[in-house]
Amino acid sequence: MRSFNHENAFTGLEAAIVLIAFVVVAAVFSYVVLGAGFFTTQKSQEVVHTGVQQASSTLEIVGNVYGTGSAGQSISKINFTCALAPGGTPVDFDKVVMTYSNSSVLETLARGTKGNAPNAGQWTIAKVQNEVTNDDVLEKGEQFDIVASPTNAILKNDQFQIEIKPAIGAALAISRTAPASIQAVNTIY
């Protein structure tokens, strides 16, 4: 009589089970890797969109920057007009932080009352041109005339910077040098 070696058949069955187990483990592993890849891609996309939104300055200066003060002595107020850059998103000026700095001072200017002249250490929206809505959100087509009054007066040849920091978007830095001869109204370059 012939004897059958049942171990060969059992080894084949074991090999099939191990092969199926490897395929299942590989499928689960690839699902996890693809899921992590999709998650990473989505997060990267969000970071890129946020980065573009934060990096692009939505504000620009329209026209000249003027300084007013006492002729022959000092400049006490800086006047300029802001508008949205082309393609810029609206900026809520209720959430804007404005800073003034020169070689010896760095100060955050407080928000003054809209339409009124600011006191020392304040800034305000003096006038809204082409008003779209009656609020402090700078929208497409609008221009805000801003007056900033640092605590310390600006002397002749003094280099200074005013930085407008919106809640979303890049800050707009206005770097200027006071003229050598100060008049009551000065164009500052």
Side-chain angles (χ1 to χ4, degrees):
M1 194 156 110
R2 233 168 138 199
S3 76
F4 292 101
N5 189 354
H6 296 289
E7 290 181 18
N8 289 339
F10 190 67
T11 305
L13 183 60
E14 285 178 339
I17 291 171
V18 168
L19 180 64
I20 292 170
F22 277 129
V23 169
V24 169
V25 168
V28 169
F29 181 70
S30 65
Y31 176 76
V32 169
V33 168
L34 284 174
F38 288 139
F39 177 75
T40 303
T41 303
Q42 181 182 9
K43 284 296 181 188
S44 298
Q45 186 179 17
E46 289 174 13
V47 167
V48 167
H49 287 299
T50 303
V52 168
Q53 187 178 24
Q54 291 287 336
S56 61
S57 180
T58 57
L59 294 173
E60 66 180 0
I61 297 297
V62 177
N64 291 322
V65 175
Y66 297 98
T68 58
S70 303
Q73 294 181 8
S74 64
I75 295 171
S76 59
K77 293 184 179 20
I78 298 124
N79 307 296
F80 55 92
T81 302
C82 279
L84 289 179
T89 56
V91 174
D92 186 356
F93 268 72
D94 286 332
K95 298 178 182 175
V96 163
V97 175
M98 195 171 299
T99 59
Y100 169 84
S101 62
N102 63 18
S103 60
S104 60
V105 175
L106 172 62
E107 67 175 323
T108 300
L109 302 175
R111 173 82 187 265
T113 306
K114 183 177 179 179
N116 294 334
N119 296 323
Q122 292 184 332
W123 70 273
T124 188
I125 300 171
K127 182 180 168 188
V128 178
Q129 300 176 36
N130 308 320
E131 191 165 26
V132 175
T133 56
N134 189 16
D135 57 14
D136 289 345
V137 177
L138 180 62
E139 297 168 303
K140 183 179 178 182
E142 289 182 329
Q143 294 180 353
F144 285 2
D145 292 341
I146 307 291
V147 179
S149 180
T151 304
N152 298 325
I154 301 168
L155 305 175
K156 65 181 182 175
N157 297 320
D158 197 8
Q159 293 180 343
F160 65 91
Q161 180 172 331
I162 294 178
E163 195 170 48
I164 304 166
K165 301 174 189 174
I168 296 176
L172 173 65
I174 305 168
S175 297
R176 298 290 191 267
T177 302
S181 174
I182 294 178
Q183 307 302 317
V185 177
N186 306 274
T187 303
I188 305 176
Y189 298 103

